[in-house]
Amino acid sequence: MAVFLIFLAIILFAVQKYSLQYALHRVYYGCEPSQHLIDPDEPFTITSVVENQKPMMVPFVRMVENFPVDIQLDLDKSAIYHGNNEVQVTSRFYLMPKQVYTRTVDATITQRGCHYFRQAVLYGGDFLGMKENVQYYNNHQEVVVMPKSVDCPALNKTLGDYLGDISVNRFILEDPVLTIGFREYTGREPMRAISWTQTSRFGKMMVKNYDHTLDLSITILLNVKVPLRTDESEALVEDCFRLVRASCEMLEDKKIKYNFSTNASIAGFAGSWSEIGEGLGGNHFLTVMEGLGRATSIATESFATTLDRAYHKAESGRSFIIVTPYVDEDWQSELQKLQEISAAPICILTPDMLKDNEEVANA
């Protein structure tokens, strides 16, 4: 009997030592959000997977995941700890040999920005439940929340009137570049439209025929540079992101191609981001929105430099929408240069427009 007990004790000791040393050996963790670009408060899911690839069970696993601080999770509150910079979610389970444990959680995020799922820690218990082995798993997942959409009648009217004026100007102004042919003079055309070369050739009065259906071209310029970064200025920059979204939505609705340029830096793994070429449609819109979601209030250059860069890359006849938290006199020379090549007066949007709308709504 004594020999049996000693033999049993040796076996238990060996199993205990092995389970403690190799509790998390060949155990792998992964986390994947269902969407990487979302609207504020748009529901999405987070799927966490823990895979035990070895032929032995793990009798106890405690999983602690670090989620973004602004996230809201559909979980028991006892499993959630809200820290200063992150939300920790704790789960407990066991793993059979070759088992894959999967957990899916519903989530929402309200705050615009780039939100990271950085790290998880697994604690693997030993056979007797006396000690834990620890394994850290780095995660490189992120969710980008776009700026909130704006419902502002004053903004809609301003943009609508501006785009309408551009269309009228392009119809009225006679640009030789847009000439697509010639037609007979009817008596209603201005004398300057007469082509004397074609009149001589055909022996009757001929006028230039212009293509007035040419697509409009708009550049949206976003400024985040402020004299002093404060809570108030941060709020103004956030409003600027919303104004850019409203501008893009209207241009998309009216089928007007646009490009985008900014002095805002970005967060996340997307590299540098200051210009997005001209385009239209869902993919183009989402490209701009992802940049706005990643954008920070830290400027990469002065806005005067951004304006000068836009001037040197713009063709004659392009129109400009400028979104800025404030207007600075130091930009006037650059603004004047843009105005000289623009097809219409430059449209400047500031957060005051949204503030006026909120005051009306609260009245």
Side-chain angles (χ1 to χ4, degrees), residues 231-342:
D231 290 342
E232 182 179 359
S233 68
E234 293 282 332
L236 292 176
V237 172
E238 286 295 324
D239 286 340
C240 286
F241 296 144
R242 297 171 64 196
L243 288 170
V244 172
R245 174 165 183 170
S247 301
C248 293
E249 288 175 337
M250 180 165 288
L251 291 172
E252 291 284 344
D253 183 63
K254 294 184 177 296
K255 308 299 182 185
I256 299 175
K257 292 182 179 180
Y258 58 98
N259 57 17
F260 177 78
S261 182
T262 182
N263 60 359
S265 59
I266 64 168
F269 309 111
S272 61
W273 177 77
S274 60
E275 294 189 19
I276 297 176
E278 188 169 83
L280 187 66
N283 290 337
H284 182 68
F285 176 77
L286 291 179
T287 299
V288 179
M289 291 304 104
E290 180 172 354
L292 291 177
R294 295 179 180 275
T296 75
S297 60
I298 300 174
T300 59
E301 62 188 8
S302 69
F303 193 52
T305 301
T306 305
L307 292 171
D308 186 65
R309 178 159 48 87
Y311 169 75
H312 283 95
K313 292 188 175 183
E315 68 278 10
S316 179
R318 175 168 290 274
S319 299
F320 298 90
I321 296 175
I322 293 177
V323 181
T324 177
Y326 77 108
V327 178
D328 195 324
E329 291 295 328
D330 293 340
W331 311 337
Q332 294 309 308
S333 60
E334 285 76 16
L335 285 175
Q336 182 60 37
K337 289 193 297 183
L338 281 184
Q339 184 61 72
E340 291 173 356
I341 65 172
S342 179

Side-chain angles (χ1 to χ4, degrees), residues 169-187:
N169 288 341
R170 291 303 295 267
F171 183 82
I172 294 175
L173 295 177
E174 296 173 352
D175 185 349
V177 176
L178 307 183
T179 302
I180 60 173
F182 303 90
R183 56 183 171 80
E184 190 172 352
Y185 178 68
T186 65

Side-chain angles (χ1 to χ4, degrees), residues 5 14 20 24 27 38 47 55 68 75-76 78 153 184 198 208 218 230 242 267 274 316-317 343-344:
L5 292 176
L20 179 60
L24 296 174
V27 174
I38 62 173
T47 301
L75 276 175
D76 188 338
S78 62
E184 190 172 352
Q198 298 298 321
K208 299 174 184 177
I218 304 284
T230 63
R242 297 171 64 196
S274 60
S316 179

Side-chain angles (χ1 to χ4, degrees), residues 183-185 194-207:
R183 56 183 171 80
E184 190 172 352
Y185 178 68
I194 297 174
S195 171
W196 298 109
T197 302
Q198 298 298 321
T199 296
S200 175
R201 178 182 176 184
F202 289 96
K204 55 184 176 181
M205 298 288 283
M206 302 292 293
V207 295

